[in-house]
Amino acid sequence: MYVCICNAVSESDVHTCVSAGAESIRQVKNACGWKPGCGSCTARLAEAIGRARASAGAQPSAA
Ligand code: FES
C-alpha cells in the first residue's frame, strides 16, 4: 500500500527506512528520497512510522 502517492513510497519502503535508522518524519523523507508534493500524506506517514517502529520493538516517537 502506498503511503505517499506523489513519491510512490510504500509502507514497505517506510519500514525499510525505519529499519535503517530513520526515526522522524524528516529522516524517513530524506531516507526515502522524498520530493515535495501535495503534502496530503503526512498523517499516513506518521502512522506508518509508528507501525514500523512498533514492529521493530521500539516505542512510537512523536518526533
Ligand atoms: S501523497 Fe505524499 S506528497 Fe502527495
Side-chain angles (χ1 to χ4, degrees), residues 16-56:
T16 298
C17 293
V18 169
S19 295
E23 295 182 356
S24 68
I25 288 175
R26 178 179 292 183
Q27 289 173 340
V28 169
K29 284 183 172 182
N30 288 340
C32 290
W34 220 278
K35 302 285 189 273
C38 71
S40 69
C41 56
T42 302
R44 286 193 305 275
L45 176 57
E47 292 167 2
I49 291 170
R51 286 189 292 273
R53 290 175 57 81
S55 71

Side-chain angles (χ1 to χ4, degrees), residues 1-26:
M1 177 172 101
Y2 281 111
V3 173
C4 175
I5 296 168
C6 294
N7 286 285
V9 173
S10 68
E11 177 101 15
S12 176
D13 294 329
V14 173
H15 280 245
T16 298
C17 293
V18 169
S19 295
E23 295 182 356
S24 68
I25 288 175
R26 178 179 292 183

